[in-house]
């Protein structure tokens, strides 16, 4: 095998045009790792945040990684080589993973490439019956929805708050999901339905038909009506848009309810939440092969469907980032690798 592969690298931070399709060294599978031949790469917001140098963060938090760097965390592919001590997969297995997140969040998970090395503990077998495009689209969005709604699954410190995030019961509860057409949102809708929640989906009007297909109980087009003026007495709001504006959802919740901003930076209504008796909690998604293995059966039997917004060849990663910047993503953007 050649020791050179194609990858998309950046040599400086900037807009989509800093993404260059070029030769790069094939990574090694170190002890406990697996070298995966990548077939598809799922895109996520941290990809464009890092491409742009996390400009929205205060300067002291901005990363200073070594260039060139390779973005990307979510992959589906085939096991090519095993590092020492790996026993959970074999060469030729089809696998999917979210690679080293948040460990490599500030220097790139190296997934925009023909090969990537992945800690074996972060891999799961690709769900039977779905393609590499759908499998690569799932990991970060699905693990986020899973860790917020179903099971946190780890004891690592929470960077957003001094206490661990804890999911709340969903069966028979009223759950509002904001940003329901996006990557995290459309999977969260399906996990909440699977758990037996009454789901109120909030998204722009073009998502109405999709939301009906996914079986939501109520749909609110936020371009026509403000969900916070309509909904009352919900048990849980999962706000995948988040930020300061998440505070408007406090009045949609009953006392004892919970507000989970998936993007918690800027949220500053903790005093009001305490006065209303509402728990506010967030967390940072973490790689987990075992949770992907649990979720695999839901993807395999169609309980959870991954919606694809668009696909682009790896060589056209810059176009894929431009698509993301245009906004209004329905489901996921995926890069395909020959
Ligand atoms: N805590 C964590 O570890 C974690 C993990 C994953 C993601 N995140 C964060 O969560 C956010 C969502 O991620 P994602 O991957 O789901 O992004 P995404 O795929 O871009 O989805 C965002 C969705 O929000 C919708 N939206 C935009 N403005 C809205 C508004 N005012 N009201 C309702 N919906 C609105 C967008 O479409 P329409 O406008 O067409 O409806 C889009 O579908 C990002 O900020 C990301 O950084 C955090």
């Amino acid at each position: 095998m050649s020791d050179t592969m194609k990858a998309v690298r950046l040599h400086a931070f900037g807009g989509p045009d800093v993404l260059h399709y070029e030769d790069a060294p094939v990574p090694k599978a170190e002890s406990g790792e697996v070298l995966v031949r990548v077939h598809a790469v799922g895109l996520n917001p941290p990809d464009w945040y890092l491409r742009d140098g996390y400009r929205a963060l205060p300067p002291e938090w901005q990363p200073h990684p070594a260039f060139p760097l390779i973005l990307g965390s979510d992959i589906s592919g085939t096991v090519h080589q095993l590092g020492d001590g790996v026993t959970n997969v074999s060469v030729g297995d089809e696998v999917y993973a979210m690679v080293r997140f948040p460990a490599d969040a500030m220097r790139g998970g190296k997934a925009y490439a023909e090969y990537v090395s992945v800690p074996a503990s972060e891999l799961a077998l690709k769900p039977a019956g779905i393609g590499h495009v759908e499998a690569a689209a799932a990991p970060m969005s699905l693990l986020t929805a899973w860790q917020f709604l179903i099971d946190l699954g780890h004891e690592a410190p929470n960077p957003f708050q001094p206490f661990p995030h804890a999911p709340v019961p969903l069966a028979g509860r009223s759950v509002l999901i904001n940003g329901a057409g996006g990557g995290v949102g459309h999977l969260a809708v399906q996990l909440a339905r699977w758990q037996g929640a009454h789901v109120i989906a909030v998204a722009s009007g073009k998502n109405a038909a999709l939301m009906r297909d996914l079986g939501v109980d109520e749909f609110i087009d936020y371009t026509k009506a403000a969900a916070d003026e309509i909904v009352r007495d919900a048990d849980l709001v999962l706000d995948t848009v988040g930020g300061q504006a998440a505070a408007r959802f406090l009045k949609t919740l009953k006392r004892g309810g919970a507000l989970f901003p998936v993007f918690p930076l800027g949220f500053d209504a903790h005093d009001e939440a305490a006065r209303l008796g509402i728990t506010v909690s967030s967390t940072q998604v973490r790689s987990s092969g075992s949770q992907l293995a649990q979720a695999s059966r839901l993807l395999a039997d169609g309980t959870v469907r991954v919606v694809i917004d668009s696909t682009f060849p790896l060589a056209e990663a810059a176009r894929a980032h431009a698509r993301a910047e245009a906004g209004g993503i329905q489901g996921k953007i995926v890069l395909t690798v020959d």
Side-chain angles (χ1 to χ4, degrees):
M1 171 184 159
S2 159
D3 54 9
T4 301
M5 64 175 183
K6 288 294 184 195
V8 172
R9 304 201 296 184
L10 47 153
H11 298 261
F13 292 136
D17 57 349
V18 299
L19 298 170
H20 295 289
Y21 182 70
E22 59 192 23
D23 288 338
V26 174
K28 301 237 170 331
E30 305 291 350
S31 177
E33 294 180 346
V34 172
L35 185 65
V36 176
R37 173 74 169 92
V38 178
H39 297 310
V41 185
L43 270 54
N44 290 284
D47 300 2
W48 30 101
Y49 300 159
L50 181 58
R51 187 207 70 220
D52 218 11
Y54 275 92
R55 274 193 306 165
L57 292 180
E60 62 275 20
W61 292 1
Q62 289 173 4
H64 300 281
F67 290 105
L69 68 77
I70 301 177
L71 302 174
S73 57
D74 286 5
I75 56 107
S76 181
T78 308
V79 172
H80 188 77
Q81 215 172 61
L82 302 179
D84 290 343
V86 174
T87 54
N88 59 333
V89 289
S90 310
V91 170
D93 283 349
E94 296 190 309
V95 291
Y96 74 138
M98 177 174 80
V99 186
R100 294 192 191 83
F101 201 92
D104 277 359
M106 293 305 198
R107 54 176 174 236
K110 305 179 180 59
Y112 288 17
E114 290 178 321
Y115 292 90
V116 64
S117 75
V118 185
S121 62
E122 297 180 357
L123 284 170
L125 293 178
K126 178 175 82 62
I130 71 167
H132 285 292
V133 167
E134 286 74 18
M140 181 175 285
S141 296
L142 185 56
L143 287 172
T144 303
W146 192 274
Q147 291 169 19
F148 270 85
L149 295 181
I150 309 293
D151 177 27
L152 182 62
H154 65 79
E155 289 175 1
N158 187 326
F160 300 137
Q161 60 196 35
F163 56 94
H165 174 76
V168 295
L170 299 175
R173 309 294 168 101
S174 168
V175 177
L176 184 152
I177 294 174
N178 188 41
V184 176
H186 85 290
L187 296 172
V189 158
Q190 297 177 76
L191 291 182
R193 288 273 307 138
W194 167 60
Q195 289 288 298
H198 175 96
V199 175
I200 305 162
V202 182
S204 61
K206 70 161 193 244
N207 294 294
L210 172 65
M211 291 300 132
R212 257 196 317 276
D213 279 1
L214 299 182
V216 307
D217 299 281
E218 296 177 49
F219 175 72
I220 298 172
D221 174 355
Y222 74 83
T223 65
K224 297 215 172 102
D228 51 291
E229 298 300 339
I230 299 171
V231 178
R232 291 290 178 269
D233 289 331
D235 294 287
L236 171 66
V237 171
L238 180 80
D239 183 5
T240 76
V241 182
Q244 194 172 31
R248 71 190 185 281
F249 288 112
L250 288 172
K251 63 175 177 288
T252 68
L253 286 156
K254 61 176 63 150
R255 184 164 277 277
L259 171 61
F260 294 168
V262 178
F263 185 85
L265 302 181
F267 181 87
D268 57 5
H270 293 282
D271 291 348
E272 189 189 348
R275 211 169 45 248
L276 295 169
I278 291 164
T279 302
V280 177
S281 180
S282 190
T283 188
Q284 184 174 43
V285 67
R286 295 190 81 80
S287 296
S288 171
S290 68
Q291 288 180 333
L292 287 179
Q294 291 174 64
S296 268
R297 67 190 167 85
L298 303 177
L299 293 168
D301 71 12
T303 304
V304 172
R305 175 158 70 89
V306 188
V307 172
I308 304 302
D309 177 274
S310 45
T311 63
F312 298 83
L314 178 65
E316 294 178 26
R319 269 205 323 124
H321 275 228
R323 160 70 196 99
E325 287 195 349
I329 302 169
Q330 186 181 59
K332 300 291 301 180
I333 304 171
V334 178
L335 303 174
T336 53
V337 188
D338 287 339

